[in-house]
Each structure stands twice: as C-alpha cells, then as structure tokens.
Amino acid sequence: MLKSFSMAVAIQLAILLFLVPALQGQTAISVLPGAGFLPGWEASYDAVAYEGDDLFFLINGGADLYMEYGFADVAAVELKHPDKGSVYVEMYRMDSDSAAFGIFSLRKGGLSVEVNPGPWVVYGEDFLHLWQGPFYMSVSGGRLEKSARLQVFLTLIGHLTEKVPAENKLPALYEEYRQAEANSAAYLMGPLALSNIYSFGHENPFRVSEGLVLERDIDREIILTYADASTASGIFNGVLHFFTDNARFPQFEGSGRSFAAVDRQGKLIEATLSGNKILLAIEKQG
Amino acid sequence: MKIFLFVVLGLSLGLANAQTPDIASVKGEDVFAQTLRAVELLGGMQQFVEPGQKVGILVNSAFREKGAYTDPDVVIATIRMVFEAGASDIVFLQPIDPEYWTRSSLEPEYRDMIARTREIKENKFPAVFSEEVFVKVPSVEGAVSVKDLELVKELFEVDVFINLPIAKHHGTTVLTNSMKNLMGLNTRTSNVKFHLDGPARNDPEFIAQCIADLNLVRKVDLIISDVSHVIVTGGPGGPGEIVSPLRVVAGTDPVAIDTYCAQQIGFLPEDVLTIEKGYQHKLGEKDLSKLIIVEE
C-alpha cells in the first residue's frame, strides 16, 4: 500500500516537475501558432514579439491596460491561405492566470463564455478570445472566408490546448461568485480596468486593485476587495469625500457605510461598505 | 437714402460677423449633412481653404469598433467641401485603410473623389522615423514636458490643417478628441515617450502636458469632431458603452471643442487634464459661457 502510494505521488511529482519547467519555459512566441498550423497556411510575415514596455509598439492605444493587469510578453502574426483568406493572431503571456483571465474577461465584453476544462472561449462571427493558464489569445478572422472560419477557429483552440496544458486557476474572488455569474463577470486588477466599465475621471477614488463586475439586467454590481476591513473603511471614507459636492454627481446622499448618487447621465450609483469589500451598483441606463 | 443703405449694409455685415460662432454643433441622423451644415455655420469651407491650397487632414480611423472611429461620412463630407473650395491637393497625414471607407454607404458615390486624395503611407502604426517622411523637432517653444518629437514632415508643408477626431473615452486621458488626436502625427517612439517619460508610467498629468505641448507645434485651422455615436467606456479601441448625442461639432478652438464635446458625452471637463493644460498654453477657451455656440 505504502509502495503504491509512493509511486502515485512520484508520478504526480514527475508530471509536475515536467510540466512546471515546460510552462515556465513558455513564452508568447513559443505558443503562437505558426505557418503550417493547418495545411496550406503560411505566415504573411515573420511573427513579431514584444516584452515589457515595448507592448506600446504593438497596441495602438490601450497597452496601459495590459500593463495594469501584469504583462509579460506578446507575439503576433498574420496567417494566410491562397483561397481561404487570412487570420490575425495575438498571443499574450501575462504574469499570472488571474491576469490573463482578467484581460480575457474584459475583452469579451458581454458575450457568453464557453467554459471548458481547457481554454475558455468566447467567439463571434469573425473573432475568438481564449484564455488558458497565463495566456490570453485574440484571433481576428474578419478576412477569413466564411466557409473556413469554423475549421480555423477549432484548430486554433486545439492548438492552445495542446501547447498550454495548464489547469486554469481562477481568481478566488471570481470563484466566490462563479456559480451564478460565469458568463457575465469581468475581473479587474486596477483603475484602468474599472474605467472600461465606468469612468470616475482621472482620479482613482476607489483605489482599485482587485474587483469583479457582474452584469445584471438593469445594473452592474461591482465588488471591490481590499486587504482588510480597516483598509476598505479608510478608502470608503475617501470615496464619500470624492462624491460629496462633486459636479459629476448632482445628487448625492449618504454617510457612514453606504451612499446613493446620481450622475450627470441620470445613472443611479449605490455603494455599501461590507467588511473588506466595497459593493457598488451602477445603473446601466440613466 | 444712400447713407441709410450704407448704414444698413454696414450693420448687416457687422451682425453677420458677430454671429459667426466659435462652435457649430449640429444634431441629426445624417452625419454627412450635419458635417456640411456645421461648416456652413462657421462661414463655409471657403473661410478655411483658398483655391489652389494644399490641405492636410488627420482622421481617427484606425479602430474598428463602432464608436471608436470617426464616422467616415464626416471625412467624405469634409473632402467634398475642401475640393469644392478649390484645394489642389488633399493629403491624409495618417493613412486610411481602404476598408474604412466601406463603412460608409456613400463610398460608392464618392469613390472617385476619395481616389483623388493621397496619404502618408509611412505614418502607419507603429510609425518609424525616416528622414523622407518625418522631421525631428528637438524642442517646442512654450512646451513644458515634450521634447525630441518626431513628426510627419508634411504637417509643416500643408497650407491648411484640418483635424477630424471622434470624441470618445480613453482609459488614460479620460477623453480623446481634438487635442489628443494630434498624437497621430507622431512616430510611435514619440508617442511612447508620452507614456513612459513622466515621473511614473502612464502618468496622466505628464501625458496631458505632452499632448498640450504637441498642440503648440502647429495650430489646427479647422476641427470637425464626430460626436454622433461614441464609446464612453473601454476607450480608445472599444468595445464599450455607446452614447449617442447625434452631433457633429465644428470650430477652430481645440480647448473649447474638447470642453464642449466632453460635456456632450457626459464627461466632466474638469476631469480631462488635457483641457486644462491646453488652456494654460492659451490654445483656447475652456469657459464656454464666453463663446458663441450655435446648436441646431
């Protein structure tokens, strides 16, 4: 019995030892699909790769957001076929599963997620967003022949599964709300991400470092978490000050642990302090 | 009698001049017609373009999400007016992907006219410096932060410079509209410095100052801003929440235009640091009560 147990552990350790270096050695360029991912497909040009601040040379506006989440490196290429068109692929390696999930959850917008043991997938008529481990993959298929899209998209999904056999680690905050909210949540890791949902101007009144946005019919619920209740309380006091006599919010009422405000578009914003969290509800239509 | 007529004529001319607005804002569902009308309210394109002149135009066309790019109908209306005013040459200071024009139902009708324009192909993101296309500007008079700019050379060679932005959300600067659109004239290296050379990475104050400094390089002769359907979150590329003020806004004052357009899309001008920095540079007026604004 003891011998069997030791063997099982050894195997698992071996797998782990094999996988961890494999994952650690993976960069965006090593995971990026290339020419020959399907027969007849070639790269339009040599794949480009950037790391760190050089991301600004790939993304025309919005690189800051990836930096906020925690960006490691990216690789991009256009793949083309003489008869089937072309597809553009960007492969982002973020510095954690949570960061990659965060970008994926924000970029998907309000679209439904295919939750898999492998990559999580969001797709539309001519695009794909995928999340697997620390990788976020964006696929633009607007120049693909419609008849080729399904095959290309399925192949790219399979490619990522094979290249990154990681078990996706979801942020703990997301796991708290997962059952009810899988398709509608966006995971935030800073104020820029929040500004994609609602802009509070150039200030950062909520000192956002981690949050979750849940889409509902008439509003968005935003759960912002902090190190502890004391930190949350201090920040909430600052938020009260921000909202008071702020021309952006012509109506405001509240104090202590909750408030309600209406912005210039007529949207109702409600906030409550709850332990180490600040709970926001922002109306969708004013 | 003659004296009476002269007085009446003089008064009429004076009144007409006094009524020329600082901002013309036209609401509707036909962006092409609204653009024509907005410029008409400013006195017509002949106020800005003389026959034989060379006109440079900067369009925010690079993004694909609705509400993130200038409606091509604004651009088509503008180049029509510019040609009708007698311009000899229209050059887009950033290239425009051919697909962009197909987003307009007017493309077939104006295809030949569009084909008469040209563009600075090399100024495509991420633009790299070359002496043929760009010029180094080590310093800008009056600038606070910006230096060593690498700008499209033809900016300094055109007689008239027309800016065609869209007023929308930007994650770093809150608003991108007239003033920020000029970053399209830079190489990528110059633009990245705006993000990285400040006291902190993506420092909003530093970026805003750089943008205001950039606007000192060359005064824009005419601004026509798309405020029809714009993203107010998720900018600059979207997707994001779209609001629909249904306006096209024209003027010559970049500070005023940005202030007015910020309000139209529900932003507080005080939140847009670029507006204050531009005002401090005397690029324009941020107090709209001091301006003549005509809204239709």
Side-chain angles (χ1 to χ4, degrees):
Chain A
M1 177 76 92
L2 188 61
K3 225 177 177 179
S4 299
F5 177 78
S6 298
M7 183 66 80
V9 169
I11 290 171
Q12 286 176 355
L13 275 173
I15 292 173
L16 189 62
L17 283 169
F18 172 74
L19 271 178
V20 168
L23 285 172
Q24 287 180 339
Q26 287 186 313
T27 58
I29 191 80
S30 70
V31 176
L32 185 74
F37 84 105
L38 272 174
W41 288 79
E42 295 179 350
S44 299
Y45 45 79
D46 291 340
V48 296
Y50 300 97
E51 60 181 12
D53 288 339
D54 286 347
L55 179 62
F56 284 101
F57 290 89
L58 180 69
I59 298 181
N60 186 6
D64 319 10
L65 181 66
Y66 289 79
M67 302 291 187
E68 179 178 91
Y69 273 102
F71 165 75
D73 59 344
V74 64
V77 73
E78 181 183 82
L79 300 165
K80 64 180 182 181
H81 187 281
D83 304 316
K84 299 179 182 177
S86 65
V87 63
Y88 176 69
V89 182
E90 290 179 348
M91 182 72 71
Y92 292 86
R93 183 171 65 102
M94 306 299 283
D95 63 12
S96 67
D97 284 31
S98 291
F101 173 71
I103 278 286
F104 166 81
S105 68
L106 206 63
R107 296 295 296 154
K108 72 171 176 58
L111 296 172
S112 295
V113 180
E114 295 288 330
V115 177
N116 302 309
W120 286 27
V121 179
V122 170
Y123 63 89
E125 192 177 313
D126 60 5
F127 65 85
L128 272 181
H129 299 291
L130 299 100
W131 166 54
Q132 176 79 347
F135 290 93
Y136 159 67
M137 182 162 138
S138 164
V139 179
S140 301
R143 297 185 183 182
L144 270 176
E145 286 298 314
K146 281 189 182 174
S147 58
R149 275 182 197 164
L150 183 63
Q151 183 194 30
V152 169
F153 284 3
L154 288 176
T155 303
L156 288 171
I157 294 170
H159 170 88
L160 187 61
T161 310
E162 184 187 327
K163 283 283 192 178
V164 187
E167 185 180 330
N168 292 334
K169 299 188 195 71
L170 287 160
L173 179 60
Y174 180 86
E175 290 279 28
E176 251 184 85
Y177 293 85
R178 182 177 178 179
Q179 196 157 359
E181 312 296 345
N183 279 324
S184 69
Y187 179 67
L188 316 176
M189 291 179 73
L192 281 179
L194 179 60
S195 79
N196 279 262
I197 308 299
Y198 185 90
S199 178
F200 288 97
H202 69 272
E203 296 177 58
N204 180 15
F206 290 92
R207 302 288 182 262
V208 180
S209 59
E210 186 186 26
L212 194 68
V213 181
L214 306 175
E215 295 282 334
R216 305 200 192 282
D217 287 338
I218 60 168
D219 67 9
R220 293 183 177 92
E221 184 181 346
I222 304 174
I223 301 112
L224 302 173
T225 68
Y226 303 92
D228 48 50
S230 171
T231 304
S233 176
I235 289 171
F236 195 81
N237 286 337
V239 170
L240 285 171
H241 179 73
F242 173 81
F243 273 81
T244 304
D245 296 327
N246 188 331
R248 175 196 284 277
F249 308 103
Q251 295 178 53
F252 171 75
E253 191 177 320
S255 62
R257 302 179 67 82
S258 67
F259 69 80
V262 176
D263 73 8
R264 285 150 59 104
Q265 298 284 343
K267 288 183 186 175
L268 175 64
I269 300 169
E270 295 173 297
T272 306
L273 177 63
S274 176
N276 72 325
K277 295 187 176 72
I278 295 176
L279 309 177
L280 277 172
I282 301 179
E283 199 174 13
K284 282 185 176 179
Q285 295 291 334
Chain B
M1 182 62 172
K2 282 185 186 175
I3 294 172
F4 173 75
L5 284 172
F6 271 125
V7 168
V8 168
L9 184 61
L11 277 173
S12 301
L13 285 172
L15 279 170
N17 287 338
Q19 292 300 317
T20 303
D22 299 292
I23 293 176
S25 173
V26 179
K27 186 169 182 173
E29 307 250 0
D30 183 343
V31 168
F32 179 86
Q34 289 166 254
T35 304
L36 298 180
R37 178 60 182 157
V39 176
E40 182 186 3
L41 288 169
L42 296 180
M45 188 59 78
Q46 61 271 20
Q47 299 296 320
F48 307 99
V49 177
E50 294 176 9
Q53 284 190 317
K54 183 172 161 182
V55 178
I57 299 180
L58 184 64
V59 182
N60 192 340
S61 71
F63 300 102
R64 289 177 176 260
E65 294 284 344
K66 186 160 175 64
Y69 57 85
T70 303
D71 190 314
D73 286 2
V74 172
V75 188
I76 292 172
T78 300
I79 59 179
R80 188 183 106 168
M81 288 186 282
V82 170
F83 276 132
E84 287 177 348
S88 63
D89 182 23
I90 293 178
V91 55
F92 289 108
L93 298 170
Q94 254 191 334
I96 295 182
D97 192 293
E99 179 274 337
Y100 172 80
W101 301 111
T102 65
R103 300 175 201 170
S104 168
S105 60
L106 297 172
E107 187 274 336
E109 181 182 349
Y110 287 98
R111 189 174 298 156
D112 289 344
M113 182 190 73
I114 295 167
R116 291 166 55 198
T117 65
R118 61 185 178 90
E119 58 187 20
I120 310 295
K121 289 184 171 37
E122 295 85 350
N123 189 24
K124 181 179 176 180
F125 178 88
V128 175
F129 180 86
S130 70
E131 288 195 358
E132 292 75 29
V133 177
F134 296 93
V135 63
K136 288 187 191 281
V137 181
S139 63
V140 179
E141 187 178 339
V144 172
S145 296
V146 88
K147 55 185 177 181
D148 298 325
L149 287 170
E150 297 174 342
L151 288 160
V152 170
K153 197 184 289 189
E154 283 214 53
L155 174 68
F156 304 99
E157 297 170 1
V158 297
D159 300 300
V160 180
F161 174 29
I162 298 176
N163 189 10
L164 303 182
I166 175 170
K168 62 178 177 179
H169 176 255
H170 191 288
T172 311
T173 59
V174 179
L175 173 82
T176 171
N177 191 33
S178 174
M179 282 193 278
K180 189 174 185 314
N181 201 40
L182 264 57
M183 287 179 74
L185 299 167
N186 285 343
T187 62
R188 195 58 190 157
T189 298
S190 278
N191 281 336
V192 171
K193 286 181 181 177
F194 288 21
H195 288 274
L196 300 181
D197 282 7
R201 174 191 278 158
N202 295 321
D203 183 88
E205 289 264 355
F206 183 81
I207 293 173
Q209 187 64 66
C210 287
I211 291 169
D213 291 349
L214 174 62
N215 277 261
L216 290 170
V217 170
R218 164 149 191 183
K219 185 183 182 307
V220 182
D221 295 294
L222 175 62
I223 305 155
I224 307 172
S225 185
D226 178 7
V227 198
S228 58
H229 306 278
V230 307
I231 52 172
V232 291
T233 60
E241 180 183 344
I242 291 180
V243 297
S244 300
L246 300 180
R247 288 193 174 275
V248 173
V249 178
T252 60
D253 179 335
V255 175
I257 291 283
D258 279 5
T259 303
Y260 178 84
C261 292
Q263 291 180 344
Q264 288 299 310
I265 65 174
F267 292 175
L268 209 59
E270 291 84 338
D271 285 342
V272 184
L273 296 176
T274 321
I275 290 173
E276 179 60 30
K277 301 295 186 190
Y279 177 74
Q280 289 171 6
H281 272 333
K282 297 182 169 46
L283 288 168
E285 179 58 65
K286 63 177 182 176
D287 182 353
L288 299 183
S289 68
K290 296 181 180 176
L291 301 174
I292 299 172
I293 299 174
V294 171
E295 293 181 329
E296 288 188 354

